[in-house]
Amino acid sequence: MHPTLPAIAYICTMIHKQTLIEATMAGAAIMKEYFDKQFTISSKSALNDLVTEVDHKSEEAIFDIIKKRFPEHYILSEESGPIVQESSYKWIIDPIDGTINYANGIPICCVSIGLERNGKMEMGAVYNPFLNEFFFAQRGFGATLNEKKIHVSDKDELTKSCLVTGFPYTYLDAPNGPLQVFEKLIRKGIPVRRLGSAAIDLCWVAAGRFDGFYEHKLQAWDSAAGYLIVEEAGGKVTSLNGDYYDHYQPGIIATNGRIHTALQYAINGGEVA
Ligand code: IPD
Ligand code: CA
Ligand code: CA
């Protein structure tokens, strides 16, 4: 007897999930191994846009697992760029999200991997090995932290919310740019944290620790896994102007849903209310 199509699809999904978990863990094991050792650090686009030897080693460990199992899949990874292949599957990898934290011995950093199928994010995993926090989501199946279901917060007033953001190296001073928005929010007494890892920011919104996150300039690998985790935890994710979120464009607002409109309004020049 031959297996049915749904049975084959289920088995494929399980293999993808297993590979995603193993790859994320492999990168994170490298991060842990080198954390208190000496490693080289160099600059990329700006003096403090850093890459360490460990980013590359983590990427290699992740590639080893994914490429062995799926040599025909497309891979987009921060330090190697795209490995273009004719495939409906694309792995989007940040081998260390929070490199500046990592390079300074600050244990707020992680591996983040998303798996896209036909242009749609299907699964995502984010693991911070220093807090032993493994976040995972599969489209339509909810989000988990260490295998326990998580949900966004239920705060419904922006002025009572706890937010998180990050700052890019460029267009800091643009109208309604990162500094203006930040100033507007903190002048209203709203706590706006800056952890230094967009993937962790997103997961902490998913877990209800933050009520909202916004950032003006991210790359696909920063948000691919995390935005699905927020959506699957019941949150809302859009571009800065409230459109459907496409992880290949730079701006993001990710919230518990309840404060979304108010935060979006404030980010686009409106008053904080
Ligand atoms: C950075 C972090 C940071 C965000 C930057 C990203 P990296 O990623 O996610 O929180 O503000 O925009 O580039 O360089 O540490 O992988
Ligand atoms: Ca990143
Ligand atoms: Ca990175």
Side-chain angles (χ1 to χ4, degrees), residues 44-137:
K44 298 198 286 186
S45 68
L47 185 63
N48 285 315
D49 180 10
L50 306 180
V51 61
T52 72
E53 194 186 339
V54 191
D55 292 75
H56 293 290
K57 285 185 190 294
S58 168
E59 196 173 66
E60 275 166 34
I62 293 166
F63 280 11
D64 265 0
I65 289 170
I66 296 175
K67 283 183 177 172
K68 219 171 268 166
R69 226 162 276 168
F70 301 109
E72 74 287 4
H73 285 186
Y74 193 125
I75 294 178
L76 173 63
S77 188
E78 180 174 12
E79 308 308 341
S80 301
I83 301 173
V84 180
Q85 307 234 60
E86 270 302 319
S87 169
S88 47
Y89 290 100
K90 188 195 277 187
W91 297 82
I92 306 180
I93 301 165
D94 196 336
I96 299 183
D97 187 54
T99 292
I100 294 181
N101 286 349
Y102 188 84
N104 285 284
I106 299 167
I108 302 179
C109 42
C110 61
V111 173
S112 170
I113 307 180
L115 175 61
E116 200 188 274
R117 186 180 175 206
N118 294 325
K120 218 172 159 193
M121 200 53 60
E122 187 121 312
M123 275 180 209
V126 171
Y127 183 47
N128 175 351
F130 305 105
L131 291 181
N132 190 27
E133 290 197 328
F134 185 84
F135 293 89
F136 173 80

Side-chain angles (χ1 to χ4, degrees), residues 165-168 170-172 174-182 213-219 240 249-253 267-268:
T165 190
F167 298 97
T170 49
Y171 61 78
L172 274 175
N176 298 322
L179 287 180
Q180 261 189 21
V181 173
F182 183 62
F213 163 67
Y214 67 91
E215 192 156 342
H216 288 73
K217 195 169 184 288
L218 290 183
Q219 304 284 347
L240 292 178
Q249 59 79 56
I252 186 168
I253 306 178
I267 287 171
N268 288 283

Side-chain angles (χ1 to χ4, degrees), residues 12-25 62 65-67 69-70 91 113 115 123:
C12 281
T13 304
M14 293 319 287
I15 299 173
H16 289 147
K17 181 174 174 182
Q18 193 53 35
T19 306
L20 176 62
I21 293 171
E22 282 174 30
T24 309
M25 290 293 182
I62 293 166
I65 289 170
I66 296 175
K67 283 183 177 172
R69 226 162 276 168
F70 301 109
W91 297 82
I113 307 180
L115 175 61
M123 275 180 209

